[in-house]
Amino acid sequence: MKEIKWGLVFIVAIIVWMVIEKATGLHGEHIQYHAVFSNVFAIVAIVIFIFALRDIRRAQPEGPVTWLKLFLAGVKISVVIAVLSPPTQFLIHSVISPEFFPNMREYAITSGMMSETRANEYFSLVAYMFQSAVFAFGMGVITSAVIAFFLKRK
């Protein structure tokens, strides 16, 4: 199933992105820039969804490929990503960058962005597992709706 393939491609891209963030110091000495550079991943995510839906469209025989068909394929990709997001977060924060949460908490507290209580709640593995799954599904559905509109074939 192409949707599973593209969901896995997306997960690999997230892992590679996290390795790059860590290597460039965004989980340590340059953590103050993390939020800005982390948002750049949205471009990568959109490009992956474009390639995915184009691949799915190309696999269809000649003739119409409706918005609904492409949209539902994108929703399936989003489900794959959402289901794999919690274990991916576990891998990222236990193997790739275990210092991320303590560093982010310290930065949020010392910069006055959050209270200690709020920082401890927000920057935790459980919170990130939940947020990543919900955000991945929601943004995947929205992104799929827009991209399907442009890639439909009459």
Side-chain angles (χ1 to χ4, degrees):
M1 231 173 146
K2 288 187 179 287
E3 292 87 356
I4 292 172
K5 174 186 104 172
W6 285 103
L8 292 172
V9 166
F10 194 96
I11 292 297
V12 169
I14 290 171
I15 293 168
V16 169
W17 188 266
M18 289 299 125
V19 169
I20 292 168
E21 279 189 2
K22 181 181 169 72
T24 58
L26 292 173
H27 294 187
E29 64 268 16
H30 303 298
I31 204 156
Q32 69 272 24
Y33 304 115
H34 178 264
V36 174
F37 287 103
S38 192
N39 286 328
V40 174
F41 185 77
I43 296 167
V44 175
I46 291 167
V47 169
I48 290 171
F49 267 83
I50 290 169
F51 284 137
L53 295 182
R54 283 178 60 200
D55 184 35
I56 290 165
R57 183 181 73 175
R58 269 193 226 118
Q60 302 303 312
E62 287 302 313
V65 179
T66 65
W67 174 86
L68 183 61
K69 182 168 186 62
L70 291 171
F71 171 69
L72 291 176
V75 169
K76 289 176 188 175
I77 294 167
S78 301
V79 167
V80 171
I81 297 166
V83 166
L84 294 176
S85 286
T88 302
Q89 289 297 317
F90 180 80
L91 171 71
I92 290 165
H93 296 293
S94 62
V95 176
I96 297 170
S97 189
E99 70 281 0
F100 175 77
F101 288 131
N103 289 346
M104 206 57 202
R105 281 186 213 113
E106 181 183 338
Y107 173 70
I109 295 164
T110 58
S111 68
M113 287 175 21
M114 293 182 184
S115 69
E116 184 175 352
T117 302
R118 181 67 183 122
N120 286 331
E121 291 170 357
Y122 188 81
F123 297 111
S124 71
L125 182 59
V126 172
Y128 265 53
M129 288 172 132
F130 177 76
Q131 291 169 22
S132 68
V134 171
F135 187 77
F137 181 74
M139 289 309 296
V141 168
I142 293 167
T143 302
S144 298
V146 173
I147 294 170
F149 176 78
F150 291 104
L151 291 182
K152 67 184 183 237
R153 185 173 62 208
K154 295 181 180 188

